[in-house]
Amino acid sequence: MNTITVDLGAKSYDILIGEKIFAECAAFIKKNYSGKVLVVTDENVYKSCGEKFLSAMHGINFEVAKVAPGENSKSLQTAEKIFTQAIEFGLDRKSLIVALGGGVVGDLAGFVAATYLRGVPFVQVPTTLLAQVDSSVGGKTAVNHALGKNLIGAFYQPKAVFIDLETLKTLPEREIKSGLGEVVKYGVISDEKFFAYLEDNAEKILSRDVEVMEKIIQRSCEIKAEVVSKDEKELGLRRILNFGHTIAHAVELETNYQKYRHGEAVSIGMLGAAIISQRLGKISAAEVDRLKNLLERLELVTKCEGCDVDNLYKFTFRDKKTIGGKVNWVLMKNFGTVEISSDVSEEVIKFALKKIA
Ligand code: NAD
Ligand code: GLY
């Protein structure tokens, strides 16, 4: 078992990674919380990991709040149903909320925890690769609004994150790929050696080799923990975690969130950001090819066929990180270093968008 600490002073917490981690989660709850526990999960996760997780919870006074799988559950309506169940169950400030699931459940349960009784403690038990390497760490919680994704939320840190590697066994292929998009991102933004490790182990990653998966989840969490520890509220450094995301969000908008999983859109967006970086003379064509090769070897998409370039361009301005009409682009300087720039011309952006559309 590996432990990584997200160092946030009084709000610090551990991420535990390994096998048989559900038991660690139950032991943590028994040790630290005597009140009731509400386990928020979705129907797929309940089927694949529910029995195992709930049997580890033996002796704890808990109820399960089950939501429908999918992005539509990240809504105020679903949050309200969970609030109702929490009130009826008698959840109080000594109680705990557990998010057992992917990023949808994590963001939703985290939002409920941040707002119910002005905040009750919660822990993350992420069950998708994307949630394990990204969304469960760092305290971004949110629900969607009809006018946009993640518009209503709070920075609210969990008390711990429990990553059980066995959950990956039942995860559909496409969800693994989606998580891999974010994993590659960490190599690009912060660690060339890690990027090379991904290149050396691409086949083992695709076959879900447990040792390799553990290593890539651990390194991704270490990098995310380090960034979040330095800039919890995304005032500066944390923006580097958005490498690839400006174009990714535009691709998701252009395709109505229907065609690509988030990490797939990030894969396309990272290539776009690399092409912009090359066009601005920051990296070489060989470096763009190196990124594209790894994405392709991991069987990630690198083109959003059929997307309209003018629409994509327009949608880059909808990024939440756009301030005063200026898009903060995260651009590559080399493998392991990125920089933020709001000084990218329309011509350069459209050049890159044409290459990925
Ligand atoms: P998801 O939660 O919808 O899970 C994907 C699918 O896998 C779902 O159908 C789910 O039921 C199923 N599933 C989950 N675990 C499983 C398992 N072990 N076995 C079988 N099936 C399983 O999607 P996701 O990609 O995990 O998360 C996407 C969400 O995360 C988006 O809403 C996005 O906005 C959010 N997100 C948040 C952050 C953050 O920092 N908070 C970062 C990135 C993404
Ligand atoms: N997923 C980006 C962040 O947590 O900041």
Side-chain angles (χ1 to χ4, degrees):
M1 184 177 76
N2 293 295
T3 304
I4 296 157
T5 301
V6 184
D7 190 358
L8 288 168
K11 288 186 286 180
S12 296
Y13 56 95
D14 286 342
I15 305 165
L16 275 66
I17 306 166
E19 287 162 289
K20 315 258 180 292
I21 292 290
F22 287 169
E24 296 290 332
C25 177
F28 174 88
I29 295 173
K30 283 179 187 163
K31 186 172 165 213
N32 297 293
Y33 301 93
S34 53
K36 295 176 180 178
V37 175
L38 186 66
V39 180
V40 180
T41 191
D42 77 26
E43 282 150 13
N44 291 340
V45 178
Y46 187 78
K47 270 188 221 135
S48 60
C49 333
E51 202 182 309
K52 212 165 143 204
F53 184 78
L54 298 180
S55 59
M57 296 276 286
H58 183 73
I60 296 170
N61 184 3
F62 71 86
E63 251 189 32
V64 178
K66 228 187 290 172
V67 305
E71 193 65 33
N72 287 347
S73 284
K74 246 178 76 172
S75 65
L76 280 173
Q77 290 80 352
T78 315
E80 187 169 7
K81 283 189 192 148
I82 302 173
F83 289 137
T84 305
Q85 184 171 348
I87 296 162
E88 287 175 353
F89 180 42
L91 220 66
D92 61 29
R93 282 202 175 132
K94 291 244 150 51
S95 304
L96 180 78
I97 290 179
V98 175
L100 173 69
V104 163
V105 165
D107 283 11
L108 170 71
F111 172 75
V112 168
T115 47
Y116 180 69
L117 301 179
R118 300 196 181 93
V120 293
F122 88 114
V123 297
Q124 290 270 16
V125 187
T127 62
T128 63
L129 182 60
L130 182 127
Q132 294 173 349
V133 299
D134 188 2
S135 62
S136 67
V137 176
K140 280 190 181 174
T141 74
V143 292
N144 302 326
H145 186 276
L147 297 181
K149 245 176 78 90
N150 295 325
L151 292 184
I152 304 158
F155 284 99
Y156 192 68
Q157 301 295 339
K159 296 294 176 193
V161 180
F162 297 94
I163 301 178
D164 194 317
L165 298 167
E166 284 181 39
T167 56
L168 294 179
K169 285 187 187 156
T170 55
L171 197 61
E173 198 66 35
R174 203 160 167 205
E175 302 301 337
I176 294 278
K177 304 276 164 61
S178 179
L180 289 176
E182 298 286 359
V183 170
V184 170
K185 176 190 80 179
Y186 291 113
V188 177
I189 64 171
S190 156
D191 187 350
E192 198 269 339
K193 261 167 73 184
F194 182 49
F195 190 90
Y197 179 86
L198 299 175
E199 292 176 313
D200 291 344
N201 290 281
E203 283 68 36
K204 284 189 177 163
I205 292 169
L206 289 179
S207 66
R208 305 186 199 190
D209 178 288
V210 177
E211 227 173 88
V212 173
M213 293 312 277
E214 182 167 13
K215 162 97 186 172
I216 67 172
I217 293 167
Q218 184 191 331
R219 188 65 195 124
S220 300
C221 287
E222 280 168 359
I223 295 170
K224 180 141 190 194
E226 197 187 330
V227 172
V228 169
S229 296
K230 289 184 182 145
D231 178 22
E232 182 192 4
K233 301 271 170 77
E234 201 168 276
L235 300 172
L237 178 73
R238 188 166 176 168
R239 291 183 190 155
I240 69 171
L241 297 175
N242 293 312
F243 176 66
H245 284 59
T246 302
I247 292 178
H249 291 144
V251 168
E252 288 176 311
L253 264 172
E254 164 73 351
T255 54
N256 288 320
Y257 296 94
Q258 300 298 318
K259 191 166 174 188
Y260 300 107
R261 301 294 301 143
H262 178 66
E264 293 175 327
V266 168
S267 171
I268 298 166
M270 287 193 292
L271 186 61
I275 293 169
I276 293 177
S277 311
Q278 184 207 344
R279 194 69 204 270
L280 295 175
K282 295 176 193 294
I283 60 169
S284 65
E287 286 174 302
V288 176
D289 285 345
R290 186 178 176 196
L291 173 61
K292 187 162 184 272
N293 282 341
L294 177 60
L295 296 172
E296 286 174 353
R297 285 183 61 208
L298 292 174
E299 298 172 2
L300 276 153
V301 269
T302 51
K303 247 180 182 294
C304 55
E305 309 267 0
C307 280
D308 181 87
V309 167
D310 289 327
N311 279 347
L312 287 177
Y313 178 72
K314 192 173 68 192
F315 291 150
T316 59
F317 291 91
R318 295 257 202 108
D319 199 278
K320 270 202 295 303
K321 287 96 202 167
T322 300
I323 298 185
K326 288 263 178 200
V327 178
N328 282 307
W329 288 93
V330 186
L331 300 175
M332 284 178 75
K333 279 177 86 176
N334 53 46
F335 281 90
T337 323
V338 285
E339 64 183 12
I340 312 284
S341 171
S342 55
D343 186 22
V344 186
S345 70
E346 179 174 343
E347 187 271 316
V348 169
I349 297 167
K350 286 194 171 164
F351 173 85
L353 292 175
K354 277 181 200 145
K355 297 261 182 203
I356 53 104

